[in-house]
Amino acid sequence: MYFGADYHPEHWVYPYAGTPEEPESRWDRDGQLMAQAGFNVVRMGEFCWGIAEREEGKYDFSWLRRAMDIMQRHGIKVVLGTPTASPPLWLAQQHPEILPMNERGETLHEGTRRAYCMNSDIYWEYAKKIVREMAGALGDHPQLIAWQIDNGLGGHNTEESFNAHSKKDWHSWLQAKYETVERLNEALGLRFWGQLVTDFSQVPMPMLSPTVHNPALVVDWRRFCSDTCVAFVRCQADILHEITPNLPVTTNLRALTRHFDHFDLAQVLDFVSVDSHATIKARSAENACEIDMLRSLKKEGIRTPDGECGFWVIEQKAGHVNWQEVNSLVRPGVVRLFTYQLISRGADGVLYFFFRQPRIGSEKFYGGVLNHDGKGENRVYKEIAHLGEEMKLLAPAIKDSKVAAETCILFSHDNAWSMQMTGQPQKHFNYREHIQLFHTAFHDRNIPVDFARPTEDLSRYKLVIAPSLQMLAGGEADLLKLYVQNGGTLVATCNTGLVDEHHIAPSDGFPANCTDLFGMEIVEFDPMPPGEENHLTFKGSFPATHLHPARLWCDLIEPKEAQILATYAKDFYAGRAAMTVNDFGLGKAIYIGTVSHQHFYYDLVAWLRQQCNLFPLLKVPDTIEVSMRQKGDRKIYFLLNHQNSHVRLHFYKPMHDFLTGQTFTGNYDLPSHGVLVLDETAPPEEAKPPGQAEQPEAAAQAVPVTEEGIIDNAPVPA
Ligand code: GAL
C-alpha cells in the first residue's frame, strides 16, 4: 500500500523557502514531515520541463536527483511525472506551430500548461527527447518505482486541436480507416446536405460553422482525437519501457470528463491512476460511481509498483479547490472518509494533492496537506498523519485483496459522444444521470458493480445493465446476444440502438440489431418535457413499492415473443408495453422503455437480486455505504457513514475492526463521517495496535437481531 503526496520541490527553493546559501535546504524538512505523516511515496516532476531544459538541449535533472536523494533518506519512494504537460516557453516561441488551435481557428498561446497540440510532429520530437533524457538521467535512481506519463491529459479541452498538423493527421486517419473516398462518403452519409468529397483532403474538421456538423463525422473526429491521445501516451510508454523495463507506467485520469476513450488509454498503461475531487462533492454515490468506472478501465495485465492489482489515486484533493465560486474548507474527517471510500473500492495507492500550498502561481489558494507556512501544525496535516498511522495497520490486511463484482454496467465512449451531439430526440436526457440512477440503486443496496464496455467478455457477470446504448455497433449487439444466449441477464433501456457505429439509423426497427434479442420492436418513442409524467402499471411479480413515473422518454413497444412487465397508464399509448422481458437462449433480456425516479431503480434491483441470485454485502442502515475487498475466502468490509450524525449499527456476530483493533458486538454508534474496516476472522497479529485488546465477553453476549438497521454479517438471502 502506497500513501503519500504530490510534491513540487521546485516550489520550495530560495526565495520561497531555504536560504541564499542553501536554497534547497527546506527539502529535508519536507521529507521529515512526510515520514512523520506515514508517507512512503511522492510524485514529482510533472511540470518541470522549463526548469530541466531552460535552453534547448541543455538538460539539468541534477536538482531532481538531489530531491530524490532526500526522499531516500526519509524512506520515501518516488513516482516521476514526464513533464510534457507543460512545454517550456522557448519551445513554443521557436515553433509556434506546436500551439493548439480551438474550433474558431484561434491559437491558444503559450504561457500555461497544456499549450501544445498532440498532433504536432515537432512537439512529439521534443517530447520524446525530454522523456528520453529524463529516463536516462533519473531512471536508475533506487527510489524510483513508477512513471506518470504527462499530466491531466486532455485537460482544459486540449484533447482536440484544429491546426494544420491535426488536419493532415485527420485525413491520414480517415484514409487508413476507409481506404477509398467512396466508402468514406457512404459510411459518413456525406450525401446529406450534399457534402460529398472527391478526395480525403477535402474532409473538414468539425470547426465552428453555421450549424451542426454531420454527427457521423463528429464521432469519427472524436475517435481520431482519442487515438491521438492514446498514441501520444504509447509513444512515451515505449521509451520508458525501453530505458527502464522494470518500472510500470501510469497516467492520471478522471472519470467521464475528458474526450478520449479511457478504456483504450488504460490498455497502454501498466496501471491506472486517477485524480479524485471526492471531498468537494456532496453525493457519495456519484463518487462511488466514478471510482467504480475508473477501477474498471483495466481489469487484466495490471502491473503496479508493489504487485497489487488495483488502481492508484495519484491526486486525492487534500482540501478545498480553487475553482468553485466559494471554496469552503473541507470539514474535519471528510478527507479520511473519502480516502477510505477510494481504498474500499480498490485503490492500492493514495497520494494527496498537494503536499504544501504553493506560495507562487495560480494554485496558491488550493488546499494542501501543509499550509503555506509549512510548519506541520495545521489541522489537515494532523488528520492525514493520523490516517498514515491507520494505513500502517491496514496495509497488511488489504494486501492482495480486490473488489469482486457480479454485476456490471456497460459504458462506451462512442455512445457518450453520440449522445453529446445536438439534434437529439430529447435534450434533457442525460446519459451520466441515467447511469447514476442504476448505480445509486446498487450502491445504496450494497451490491458491488463494475463497469465494462460492450466489447468485453461479460460472461463473468450474472447481471449486465446497459443504460441507453444509443450508438450500438452491430458487433456489440452480437456480443450482447452471446452473453444472454449463454445464460446472462441483460437490462437495456430507452434510447438504445438508435444508430449503428456509423451513426446510421436502422431500416428494420429499434433497437438496431436487437429486436430478436428483446423479442419486441420499438415502433415510436415519445420524449417528454421535464415535469411531465406518465406512469407505469406493473404486471406479474415486479415488487413496486411506489407509484412509478415514466419520465423524459417513452418507448412505444410492440412485443413479439417478449412478455410485458409494465404498461403506460395514460396518453394515447395507455395500456401499451413500457417494460418487457424476453427469454433468449439460456438467459433473459429485459427492456425498460422509459426513465423513472430513484425508487423504481431500488425496486428493480430488489427484483433483479431474486432473478440473478445476487446478495448485498451486508445488511446495514441505508445511510451506510458498504464495500468489500476480498482475498481468497477472506472478506474485508468497509463501512462508511457519510451523514452528519451518528448511525446505530448492531453486530450480530463479532466483527474485528482493523483501525482500532477492537472486536465489536451488539450496538455500536458509528460517528458522523466515521469509518470501520471489519472482518469476521481473528485479527492478524501484525494488524493489532499495541495495547488494544479484543473484548471477548462482549462478543460472547451477542444476540441475533433481525430487524432493519443491523449488521447481519451473513449474506442477506434474496
Ligand atoms: C489536476 C492537475 C493538478 C492540479 C489539479 C487541480 O488535474 O493534475 O496539477 O491542477 O488538477 O484540481
Side-chain angles (χ1 to χ4, degrees):
M1 171 92 207
Y2 279 104
F3 187 67
D6 302 310
Y7 184 48
H8 299 91
E10 66 272 26
H11 295 176
W12 302 110
V13 292
Y14 188 78
Y16 316 111
T19 61
E21 300 73 38
E22 289 183 275
E24 297 167 355
S25 55
R26 169 72 205 191
W27 295 354
D28 191 58
R29 175 73 184 132
D30 285 338
Q32 267 173 19
L33 286 167
M34 287 175 196
Q36 275 170 28
F39 289 179
N40 56 11
V41 67
V42 287
R43 184 198 65 189
M44 310 199 289
E46 78 277 15
F47 296 124
C48 77
W49 192 345
I51 300 171
E53 190 185 2
R54 287 187 197 199
E55 286 175 50
E56 182 171 357
K58 294 193 180 152
Y59 298 99
D60 176 15
F61 290 101
S62 58
W63 59 277
L64 205 42
R65 182 170 272 275
R66 289 195 294 281
M68 293 170 83
D69 292 344
I70 287 174
M71 292 301 121
Q72 182 168 21
R73 205 175 303 151
H74 296 284
I76 292 165
K77 297 287 185 190
V78 174
V79 176
L80 282 178
T82 67
T84 51
S86 200
L89 286 171
W90 58 258
L91 177 51
Q93 285 163 3
Q94 207 167 303
H95 293 286
E97 62 277 30
I98 69 160
L99 292 169
M101 194 172 269
N102 68 15
E103 57 161 12
R104 294 175 171 270
E106 297 161 340
T107 299
L108 305 178
H109 292 281
E110 73 275 21
T112 73
R113 64 183 180 187
R114 303 228 65 80
Y116 71 90
C117 162
M118 250 180 284
N119 286 305
S120 162
D121 293 346
I122 297 175
Y123 191 69
W124 272 51
E125 284 317 308
Y126 278 95
K128 284 198 279 195
K129 265 194 254 168
I130 188 77
V131 170
R132 204 167 265 290
E133 286 294 331
M134 189 173 192
L138 303 172
D140 65 342
H141 199 287
Q143 292 315 96
L144 187 61
I145 53 167
W147 293 101
Q148 175 188 292
I149 293 173
D150 202 272
N151 188 79
L153 211 77
H156 317 302
N157 303 316
T158 52
E159 305 93 340
E160 58 183 5
S161 164
F162 298 85
N163 59 13
H165 283 295
S166 302
K167 195 167 186 182
K168 187 169 89 18
D169 288 358
W170 165 231
H171 293 151
S172 314
W173 186 91
L174 288 168
Q175 187 146 20
K177 179 165 179 180
Y178 295 108
E179 291 172 359
T180 67
V181 257
E182 290 70 32
R183 279 165 66 179
L184 170 96
N185 281 325
E186 214 172 277
L188 300 187
L190 294 185
R191 56 180 50 241
F192 187 78
W193 287 346
Q195 300 297 303
L196 292 171
V197 296
T198 52
D199 192 277
F200 281 99
S201 65
Q202 293 175 338
V203 184
M205 296 184 284
M207 295 182 75
L208 193 66
S209 52
T211 184
V212 283
H213 281 275
N214 187 326
L217 181 126
V218 178
V219 173
D220 259 354
W221 170 258
R222 291 253 169 266
R223 291 172 177 141
F224 156 71
C225 294
S226 176
D227 285 356
T228 301
C229 293
V230 174
F232 183 64
V233 172
R234 182 182 287 118
C235 151
Q236 293 200 30
D238 287 348
I239 295 172
L240 296 168
H241 284 146
E242 176 203 319
I243 300 176
T244 53
N246 296 327
L247 297 180
V249 305
T250 188
T251 196
N252 54 341
L253 300 173
R254 290 187 189 191
L256 297 163
T257 48
R258 309 274 193 244
H259 291 302
F260 54 78
D261 190 313
H262 290 54
F263 289 95
D264 282 352
L265 194 81
Q267 305 323 306
V268 179
L269 306 173
D270 294 308
F271 66 104
V272 164
S273 289
V274 309
D275 285 359
S276 163
H277 290 90
T279 44
I280 56 144
K281 283 197 188 160
R283 295 186 52 203
S284 58
E286 281 173 22
N287 288 320
C289 180
E290 294 185 2
I291 301 165
D292 288 346
M293 173 167 287
L294 290 161
R295 180 193 66 243
S296 302
L297 293 176
K298 191 170 179 76
K299 302 188 182 81
E300 314 289 340
I302 297 169
R303 185 162 72 110
T304 55
D306 53 2
E308 296 289 332
C309 53
F311 64 95
W312 277 31
V313 185
I314 211 153
E315 287 190 23
Q316 156 78 332
K317 300 308 168 260
H320 53 278
V321 295
N322 72 349
W323 41 260
Q324 291 178 306
E325 284 189 16
V326 179
N327 296 294
S328 302
L329 288 178
V330 173
R331 278 26 218 173
V334 172
V335 170
R336 175 175 182 264
L337 180 66
F338 283 103
T339 300
Y340 280 110
Q341 189 188 34
L342 290 157
I343 294 171
S344 74
R345 292 181 176 268
D348 286 317
V350 177
L351 286 75
Y352 295 96
F353 182 87
F354 21 47
F355 180 61
R356 180 173 170 185
Q357 286 189 283
R359 296 181 57 207
I360 52 174
S362 59
E363 291 184 333
K364 59 172 72 73
F365 299 125
Y366 229 98
V369 178
L370 295 183
N371 289 348
H372 292 119
D373 70 21
K375 289 183 185 159
E377 291 165 5
N378 54 313
R379 176 177 61 87
V380 175
Y381 176 77
K382 287 179 191 159
E383 275 187 42
I384 289 179
H386 175 69
L387 258 175
E389 288 301 305
E390 292 183 342
M391 288 305 132
K392 288 180 197 157
L393 300 175
L394 194 59
I398 60 171
K399 186 157 174 39
D400 299 328
S401 67
K402 61 178 186 180
V403 175
E406 294 177 319
T407 299
C408 120
I409 298 178
L410 299 185
F411 177 88
S412 108
H413 282 278
D414 277 9
N415 180 49
W417 297 330
S418 172
M419 279 196 266
Q420 279 157 8
M421 243 142 352
T422 45
Q424 295 289 321
Q426 167 58 296
K427 183 179 164 190
H428 300 281
F429 179 89
N430 181 311
Y431 186 35
R432 173 73 178 83
E433 285 169 13
H434 195 45
I435 289 175
Q436 189 69 52
L437 285 168
F438 285 95
H439 192 278
T440 298
F442 288 107
H443 169 268
D444 290 1
R445 296 295 178 258
N446 303 320
I447 297 176
V449 174
D450 276 350
F451 279 83
R453 44 183 174 181
T455 46
E456 281 178 44
D457 174 13
L458 302 174
S459 60
R460 69 177 98 179
Y461 299 109
K462 287 182 179 171
L463 173 63
V464 170
I465 310 286
S468 298
L469 293 175
Q470 180 187 84
M471 174 175 259
L472 185 64
E476 291 173 337
D478 287 345
L479 289 169
L480 295 183
K481 286 180 202 172
L482 191 68
Y483 167 71
V484 181
Q485 196 133 35
N486 289 334
T489 299
L490 173 72
V491 179
T493 74
C494 61
N495 207 351
T496 288
L498 301 197
V499 291
D500 69 7
E501 63 270 40
H502 299 301
H503 218 278
I504 296 177
S507 58
D508 54 356
F510 301 124
N513 297 312
C514 286
T515 50
D516 54 344
L517 171 59
F518 294 104
M520 56 77 171
E521 188 182 324
I522 290 152
V523 286
E524 288 183 273
F525 47 82
D526 185 25
M528 300 160 89
E532 276 185 28
E533 282 181 4
N534 204 315
H535 288 101
L536 297 172
T537 307
F538 291 92
K539 298 186 177 274
S541 63
F542 189 86
T545 56
H546 290 68
L547 180 64
H548 291 313
R551 304 186 294 121
L552 292 168
W553 187 298
C554 294
D555 277 330
L556 277 55
I557 300 174
E558 192 72 47
K560 304 247 160 70
E561 299 78 32
Q563 282 173 268
I564 299 175
L565 291 169
T567 55
Y568 295 108
K570 58 179 194 182
D571 213 321
F572 75 92
Y573 40 91
R576 295 193 56 175
M579 187 173 163
T580 55
V581 56
N582 190 41
D583 292 327
F584 187 83
L586 301 173
K588 285 189 190 318
I590 296 159
Y591 189 88
I592 303 164
T594 188
V595 181
S596 194
H597 60 173
Q598 189 64 61
H599 295 291
F600 166 78
Y601 299 91
Y602 288 136
D603 288 350
L604 179 73
V605 166
W607 181 67
L608 290 169
R609 265 180 52 198
Q610 289 175 353
Q611 304 285 316
C612 303
N613 224 11
L614 290 168
F615 298 106
L617 295 172
L618 290 175
K619 192 172 167 194
V620 292
D622 281 355
T623 50
I624 297 293
E625 177 178 338
V626 182
S627 319
M628 183 187 73
R629 293 179 59 143
Q630 199 165 348
K631 172 168 44 177
D633 289 341
R634 184 160 197 203
K635 294 175 176 170
I636 299 156
Y637 298 96
F638 293 74
L639 277 66
L640 312 177
N641 180 6
H642 292 278
Q643 308 304 304
N644 285 323
S645 55
H646 76 261
V647 175
R648 173 149 299 182
L649 304 170
H650 189 94
F651 293 98
Y652 162 61
K653 292 181 195 169
M655 294 288 270
H656 160 251
D657 176 25
F658 287 95
L659 302 183
T660 58
Q662 289 180 315
T663 296
F664 298 120
T665 56
N667 287 339
Y668 174 78
D669 287 339
L670 183 58
S672 162
H673 300 147
V675 175
L676 292 174
V677 184
L678 303 172
D679 77 352
E680 289 178 276
T681 59
E685 282 311 310
E686 77 273 28
K688 245 193 275 180
Q692 296 264 22
E694 287 179 55
Q695 300 166 351
E697 299 82 11
Q701 287 161 11
V703 183
V705 183
T706 50
E707 70 267 27
E708 276 295 319
I710 58 157
I711 291 198
D712 171 5
N713 324 1
V716 180

